[in-house]
Amino acid sequence: MGIANLFAVPEWFEIFPTVRIVLLSLIVLLCIGLIIVVMIQPSNQQGTGSLTGQSDTFYSKNKSKTMEGFLKKLTVIIACALFVLSILFLVTLIFYVGK
């Protein structure tokens, strides 16, 4: 076995450059998707009801069933996926430093 084998790079590390390219491509696509989803969403003006005296309406209580609610959920899902892929990309950079 020897000491030289302890510090040898395993064979499966050779796929890391390909994995990094795939992860980076997915990250770019998710970033573009997140930008589009956020741009589609209508502006949210919370807090103005206390100034104008408006109270909660049926629509405001059931927003989760509308397209606006769907876009908010989609934003959270894309952001979480982007976070996980970014962490995976960082891990591949840490473990494979051009070896």
Side-chain angles (χ1 to χ4, degrees), residues 10-71:
E11 291 180 20
W12 57 271
F13 265 39
E14 300 301 322
I15 65 167
F16 270 27
T18 307
V19 170
R20 285 195 319 220
I21 291 171
V22 170
L23 285 175
L24 195 57
S25 301
L26 288 173
I27 288 171
V28 168
L29 289 174
L30 283 176
C31 286
I32 292 170
L34 187 62
I35 290 170
I36 291 171
V37 169
V38 169
M39 295 288 287
I40 291 173
Q41 290 181 12
S43 64
N44 192 4
Q45 298 179 358
Q46 291 181 347
T48 58
S50 61
L51 296 174
T52 60
Q54 294 177 347
S55 61
D56 287 338
T57 62
F58 178 76
Y59 174 73
S60 66
K61 291 180 183 178
N62 293 314
K63 277 187 180 178
S64 63
K65 298 176 185 171
T66 63
M67 185 63 147
E68 182 180 348
F70 171 74
L71 289 174

Side-chain angles (χ1 to χ4, degrees), residues 1 9 22 25 51 64 68-70 73-75 87 89 97:
M1 180 149 160
V9 177
V22 170
S25 301
L51 296 174
S64 63
E68 182 180 348
F70 171 74
K73 289 178 186 175
L74 187 61
T75 302
I87 295 296
F89 184 76
V97 189

Side-chain angles (χ1 to χ4, degrees), residues 79-91:
C80 289
L82 186 60
F83 176 74
V84 169
L85 289 179
S86 298
I87 295 296
L88 287 175
F89 184 76
L90 178 67
V91 167

